[in-house]
Amino acid sequence: MSQQLILPINHAKLTASWKTQSYRTRFGFEHYGVDMVSSTGQSLVYASGNGTVLASGFDNVVGNYLVIRYDAARRPGYTGEVICRMFHFASLLVRGGQRVTKDTKLGYYGNTGLYSSGAHLHLEVDRDLAHPYYTPTLFGRSTRFLGKHYGATDSTMDNPLSWLHCKVSPPDSQRYTTAWNLLIRGEDRAITEIQ
Ligand SMILES: [Zn+2]
């Protein structure tokens, strides 16, 4: 029995999409993830479903980070365990080895790390279970994460929005919106809702 992953912020506002040309132009690197904030100002981040925290800590480049391996989940065309990497937390509430559910509070998003401009959650989803600490987004000298020149490939990464659902029923009562700028893909302005 596989699960459907849900948004990690209950009133999420997407501020940057996966791999847009305008992101490359503005920041000088490919964006293998999404950025989101809370439209209510509540910066609490929850787990997206059932999974295990592989690691949590501080990295000089990505700031306070979490790596979670979710139990078998599904998106159109694929079912299996996936790795979720999240960067720039202000503070963390879980530790490596801990089991999580969608109701587990992971921490508060923030602006820690070198490449964070303003508080937000950066989130990546990767089907490569063998390289949880590899991220192709990265350049620079991270103490924890490995950049694209270390061997793993970017072909196992997905737009996180292909995995995430908006759970509109209580207690989550999620809502989803987006910023309106060139960093947002048109197809990301809506997300699949589930009860
Ligand atoms: Zn980002």
Side-chain angles (χ1 to χ4, degrees):
M1 183 64 186
S2 61
Q3 59 182 333
Q4 289 178 298
L5 300 178
I6 67 172
L7 290 164
I9 294 172
N10 280 342
H11 289 251
K13 178 182 181 180
L14 189 75
T15 57
S17 283
W18 152 269
K19 290 174 70 170
T20 61
Q21 174 63 51
S22 39
Y23 192 100
R24 282 194 295 278
T25 301
R26 188 184 298 186
F27 298 106
F29 61 96
E30 190 81 278
H31 195 224
Y32 286 95
V34 293
D35 293 344
M36 55 179 69
V37 298
S38 165
S39 57
T40 65
Q42 166 59 269
S43 59
L44 194 53
V45 178
Y46 289 90
S48 290
N50 299 323
T52 302
V53 179
L54 296 184
S56 74
F58 178 79
D59 175 83
N60 58 312
V61 174
V62 305
N64 291 313
Y65 66 85
L66 275 181
V67 180
I68 296 177
R69 186 184 62 226
Y70 285 108
D71 303 350
R74 64 185 184 274
R75 65 153 168 75
Y78 189 86
T79 300
E81 292 177 283
V82 287
I83 300 291
C84 179
R85 291 180 285 267
M86 288 175 280
F87 301 153
H88 316 316
F89 281 91
S91 61
L92 295 166
L93 299 172
V94 294
R95 293 177 178 280
Q98 189 174 331
R99 287 288 297 171
V100 298
T101 73
K102 72 173 181 58
D103 298 316
T104 304
K105 295 170 179 172
L106 300 178
Y108 295 88
Y109 70 76
N111 61 355
T112 55
L114 287 184
Y115 302 119
S116 174
S117 53
H120 69 274
L121 177 70
H122 170 93
L123 181 151
E124 304 179 353
V125 175
D126 195 338
R127 286 169 275 113
D128 181 358
L129 305 178
H131 300 94
Y133 308 112
Y134 154 80
T135 172
T137 304
L138 191 65
F139 62 96
R141 292 180 172 275
S142 165
T143 53
R144 188 61 168 107
F145 290 89
L146 301 177
K148 63 176 66 177
H149 50 294
Y150 284 93
T153 78
D154 60 12
S155 63
T156 54
M157 296 190 64
D158 293 322
N159 181 346
L161 295 186
S162 70
W163 286 96
L164 297 175
H165 303 77
C166 184
K167 189 175 183 305
V168 296
S169 62
D172 315 278
S173 302
Q174 295 192 321
R175 298 293 179 267
Y176 174 78
T177 184
T178 73
W180 285 81
N181 60 45
L182 292 174
L183 299 178
I184 306 297
R185 289 174 181 262
E187 62 264 38
D188 288 348
R189 295 211 175 94
I191 192 172
T192 306
E193 295 186 353
I194 58 172
Q195 295 295 316

